[in-house]
Amino acid sequence: MTLAGKYIHLVEDDDRIRNEIVQALESTGAVITASETFEQGLEALSAPFDLVILDLGLPDGDGLELCRYLRLDGREDPVIMLTARDATRDCVKGLDMGADDYMTKPFQMTELLARVRNVLRRSGRSVGMQKLEWNGIELDPEARVARRSGEPLNLTRREFDLLAFLLRYPRRVWTRENLLQRVWDNAEAGETRTVDLHVRRLRAKIEEDPRDPRLIATIWGVGYALQAPE
Ligand code: CA
């Protein structure tokens, strides 16, 4: 099974292991984002993923708590736990908490990838392909069609990707740097004003009154967020 277009989040504080996993998953075409701490993980996991890979031993918290948080919130994102501990007890606890699988460090990357594929196959999730809807805007990532009040929107590829990204995380505030990193794959080529330019063009197409935007709000001093109109 292909991992292309699967949204995966990794929480791992060990730089070497994190980089290795990110590289391995990126080479499969998965869309991978990573957190280094419990705090960052908690923030990142406010959005749904096709798969979450959780290190249990984090400097500022226990990865098991992140898994518990997801399940208490009614979330079904599949979870693979990573543990460096000789910790059968932790793994059992994690599985009880709703984790789908675990790996004990050190492990072979090929084995992790096999488990990732396995868990994804079982779950059949694909959040990146889910149709998105928000206040009259509809977007079908698979067909790459966007509509406003039923009328097709004529968006460029980048405008479409930017809108899809914002729709996946309604109300969440993104900095221009975040958006460059996530929507423009080549962050080094981008400048933050590129983001402003695209937001302006997108507003002209989706807002009723682009001079008084209600959907994509500017959060002064921070960036942009998709808002519900009052
Ligand atoms: Ca760790």
Side-chain angles (χ1 to χ4, degrees):
M1 98 159 255
T2 171
L3 299 184
K6 296 289 185 186
Y7 283 80
I8 301 177
H9 192 75
L10 167 70
V11 186
E12 167 63 79
D13 61 305
D14 184 304
D15 292 340
R16 189 181 56 82
I17 299 176
R18 191 180 55 253
N19 292 335
E20 276 176 22
I21 297 177
V22 166
Q23 272 178 20
L25 285 169
E26 262 172 359
S27 70
T28 68
V31 184
I32 174 139
T33 50
S35 302
E36 299 175 23
T37 62
F38 181 93
E39 270 308 306
Q40 282 180 13
L42 194 61
E43 201 205 321
L45 292 177
S46 62
F49 288 92
D50 292 316
L51 176 71
V52 178
I53 303 174
L54 277 183
D55 176 33
L56 297 191
L58 297 167
D60 56 339
D62 189 335
L64 282 175
E65 287 302 316
L66 289 174
C67 183
R68 194 213 303 273
Y69 153 83
L70 283 178
R71 296 304 179 244
L72 285 179
D73 207 31
R75 295 266 300 277
E76 292 174 348
D77 314 41
V79 171
I80 297 178
M81 300 176 290
L82 303 178
T83 176
R85 311 168 193 168
D86 174 25
T88 323
R89 211 167 49 95
D90 281 342
C91 295
V92 171
K93 227 156 103 191
L95 294 172
D96 277 347
M97 238 172 239
D100 297 79
D101 202 353
Y102 67 89
M103 294 214 66
T104 309
K105 295 178 200 169
F107 52 81
Q108 295 291 321
M109 199 54 70
T110 48
E111 191 184 347
L112 177 65
L113 290 180
R115 290 186 186 223
V116 164
R117 276 194 290 272
N118 217 354
V119 168
L120 284 171
R121 190 181 302 116
R122 282 202 309 256
S123 79
R125 259 168 96 92
S126 194
V127 297
M129 286 299 132
Q130 278 167 14
K131 288 186 182 152
L132 300 159
E133 210 183 332
W134 181 255
N135 289 295
I137 308 273
E138 294 167 333
L139 188 140
D140 180 344
E142 205 161 6
R144 292 196 71 84
V145 177
R147 291 194 165 81
R148 184 177 148 231
S149 311
E151 293 296 312
L153 289 165
N154 185 18
L155 304 180
T156 64
R157 188 175 76 91
R158 199 64 84 184
E159 289 162 0
F160 185 93
D161 291 343
L162 177 61
L163 182 59
F165 185 80
L166 293 170
L167 284 169
R168 284 191 74 229
Y169 308 96
R171 290 199 178 87
R172 184 150 160 203
V173 181
W174 296 98
T175 64
R176 291 165 177 83
E177 288 79 13
N178 280 161
L179 289 171
L180 265 184
Q181 233 167 36
R182 307 257 189 139
V183 181
W184 283 257
D185 357 277
N186 246 339
E188 84 271 7
E191 288 182 52
T192 50
R193 64 166 185 257
T194 308
V195 177
D196 297 328
L197 181 73
H198 281 79
V199 166
R200 197 156 66 230
R201 288 184 184 154
L202 192 53
R203 276 176 174 156
K205 295 181 182 180
I206 68 169
E207 301 278 359
E208 242 157 68
D209 179 1
R211 285 162 307 174
D212 181 21
R214 295 296 162 95
L215 292 167
I216 304 178
T218 301
I219 313 297
W220 292 110
V222 189
Y224 297 103
L226 196 68
Q227 301 282 4
E230 294 118 43

